[in-house]
Amino acid sequence: QARHTGKVVLAIDPLATGTTLITGGTGMAGAALARHLVSRHRVPSIMLVSRSGNDAPGIPELADELRAAGAQVSVVSGDVADRSTVAGLL
């Protein structure tokens, strides 16, 4: 039912320099989080992971937008429920 009764809290290490991996990264919430991390927190590198990967609607435009904002962006197709896929991503 898409009800959210609590608050979502995100803590960002201001000295973080690695890649931020976002699961479900090609969906609405993942895209919004990626935009927020790049624009507000200046995260330098984002990896968007989902089962649909680059085939998700609007992903080329999102990746271009994030790159224009200064981030390195990779979009990966994979199922994070699969342990070997996650190991490969990391």
Side-chain angles (χ1 to χ4, degrees), residues 38-39 42-44 60-73:
V38 171
S39 67
R42 303 289 180 223
V43 170
E61 296 82 5
L62 173 63
D64 288 345
E65 176 187 336
L66 296 172
R67 287 183 186 111
Q72 294 180 351
V73 180

Side-chain angles (χ1 to χ4, degrees), residues 20-69:
T20 300
L21 186 147
I22 301 175
T23 61
T26 61
M28 183 270 315
L33 177 60
R35 286 184 181 103
H36 175 76
L37 290 175
V38 171
S39 67
R40 185 83 187 262
H41 298 283
R42 303 289 180 223
V43 170
S45 180
I46 297 278
M47 180 184 292
L48 305 173
V49 181
S50 72
R51 284 176 275 190
S52 53
N54 279 312
D55 293 333
I59 289 309
E61 296 82 5
L62 173 63
D64 288 345
E65 176 187 336
L66 296 172
R67 287 183 186 111

Side-chain angles (χ1 to χ4, degrees), residues 21-27 47-56 74-90:
L21 186 147
I22 301 175
T23 61
T26 61
M47 180 184 292
L48 305 173
V49 181
S50 72
R51 284 176 275 190
S52 53
N54 279 312
D55 293 333
S74 57
V75 181
V76 180
S77 176
D79 185 352
V80 296
D82 177 40
R83 185 179 295 248
S84 64
T85 298
V86 174
L89 293 171
L90 298 177

